[in-house]
Amino acid sequence: MSYVKPSQLVDDITHSGMLKTHLTLGQMVMRGALAGAILGAATTVALTATAQTGLPIVGAVLFPVGFAMILLLGLELVTGSFALVPLAIMERRTTVTRGLRNFFVVILAHLFGAGLYAFLYTTSITYLGTDMSDPMVQAIIDLAEHKVLPYEAVGAGGILVVIIKAMLCNWMVAIGTIMFYTSKSTGGKILAMWLPVTTFFSLGLEHAIVNMFAIPAGIMLGADVTVGQWWVWNQAPVLLGNVLGAILFTALPIYFSHRTHVNRAPASGEAVDVDAEVAAEATEPAEPTLVRS
């Protein structure tokens, strides 16, 4: 059977978190940039479907295509890593320094990839800024303003609201990332991660990487939002909320629900030689039925 039991699941996600922190700088940049662009493309697919059907749930159902591509290709999505890397640190399979390095580099790469896609997409739908009649123009402007101005209007309370919405979002996204590891078949992986990601998007919650496309694209198209407003009232608190949601609502509960002294590896509690493990991973033949993210 392709189902991975929870005890093995914890091993797999911890191992994946360790591997992420041992990527080269170039690998982090390329994987993060590609993931940012793909998530931007998935967001435009969802917005287009919503505009064409008048049913936001249709866009929510289609949006996870981006996550599926990112996870199947083994790219870097920091909101998923927010759940996996801390577990690797807890089991001393990597270090805090390596984990923070991964987060910092991948976030910058996401900004580049999502921003590049935003520029190319807005340039194409406006015909180099000469035609603003495409319905997607106003849809993106409205989305960008909705993700910033209502929070600003509430003041300090708006920061709390956006953090909570980001925590709820990455609760679902992190579950989707972990559920990806519950199957060894490609179809099973896609189906498992699809459900929680559809849930987050349909509820209108706040995802940092989606916002790295949506708000800059809106600004490029003329949204009444400045770069400063974007970061103060959305991007910075959303990143914080995404971290908290992944760790507190997903990673730790799943870990402590299934990890015991009996199934913990290594049982002796000694630190793992992660460099040797990464080297061994690189020399082993790839397993076609198991995709590591």
Side-chain angles (χ1 to χ4, degrees), residues 1-6 8-9 12 179-192 289-291:
M1 294 179 64
S2 64
Y3 174 65
V4 176
K5 295 181 179 180
Q8 180 61 44
L9 173 67
D12 290 345
M179 286 183 67
F180 183 81
Y181 293 84
T182 61
S183 175
K184 292 185 178 181
S185 71
T186 300
K189 287 176 176 292
I190 293 173
L191 179 60
T289 59
L290 176 60
V291 178

Side-chain angles (χ1 to χ4, degrees), residues 35-284:
I38 290 171
L39 216 53
T43 303
T44 53
V45 167
L47 290 175
T48 300
T50 299
Q52 290 175 343
T53 64
L55 299 171
I57 189 63
V58 176
V61 170
L62 292 177
F63 174 73
V65 297
F67 276 81
M69 287 187 282
I70 289 168
L71 293 175
L72 287 173
L73 290 172
L75 303 179
E76 285 295 298
L77 186 63
V78 77
T79 46
S81 298
F82 286 158
L84 306 184
V85 171
L87 296 184
I89 294 172
M90 284 177 55
E91 293 217 332
R92 293 189 292 169
R93 295 166 69 85
T94 191
T95 64
V96 172
T97 300
R98 283 185 177 274
L100 293 177
R101 172 177 175 265
N102 175 272
F103 293 163
F104 179 74
V105 172
V106 173
I107 287 171
L108 291 181
H110 286 333
L111 279 168
F112 174 77
L116 176 60
Y117 177 79
F119 172 75
L120 295 174
Y121 181 77
T122 57
T123 297
S124 67
I125 63 172
T126 62
Y127 288 84
L128 301 178
T130 63
D131 183 357
M132 305 294 283
S133 63
D134 192 305
M136 287 301 297
V137 172
Q138 192 58 49
I140 293 174
I141 290 174
D142 291 344
L143 179 62
E145 292 178 348
H146 179 72
K147 285 182 170 292
V148 175
L149 302 182
Y151 303 126
E152 184 181 30
V154 179
I159 297 292
L160 178 59
V161 171
V162 76
I163 289 175
I164 292 173
K165 290 178 72 173
M167 291 176 68
L168 293 173
C169 166
N170 221 34
W171 187 1
M172 294 295 101
V173 171
I175 286 178
T177 301
I178 290 175
M179 286 183 67
F180 183 81
Y181 293 84
T182 61
S183 175
K184 292 185 178 181
S185 71
T186 300
K189 287 176 176 292
I190 293 173
L191 179 60
M193 56 73 55
W194 204 282
L195 306 177
V197 174
T198 292
T199 300
F200 115 70
F201 200 86
S202 66
L203 294 176
L205 302 176
E206 296 289 349
H207 187 268
I209 318 310
V210 169
N211 295 348
M212 288 178 185
F213 159 76
I215 300 176
I219 293 173
M220 294 175 193
L221 293 171
D224 187 22
V225 174
T226 66
V227 173
Q229 287 174 307
W230 161 34
W231 276 92
V232 171
W233 297 103
N234 184 284
Q235 197 65 60
V238 168
L239 278 168
L240 174 60
N242 284 169
V243 172
L244 294 175
I247 295 174
L248 299 179
F249 292 164
T250 305
L252 294 181
I254 289 178
Y255 180 86
F256 288 115
S257 293
H258 299 292
R259 178 60 97 210
T260 67
H261 289 297
V262 174
N263 64 21
R264 182 174 179 177
S268 64
E270 298 177 355
V272 175
D273 185 349
V274 292
D275 290 326
E277 188 167 348
V278 170
E281 179 82 14
T283 59
E284 291 177 356

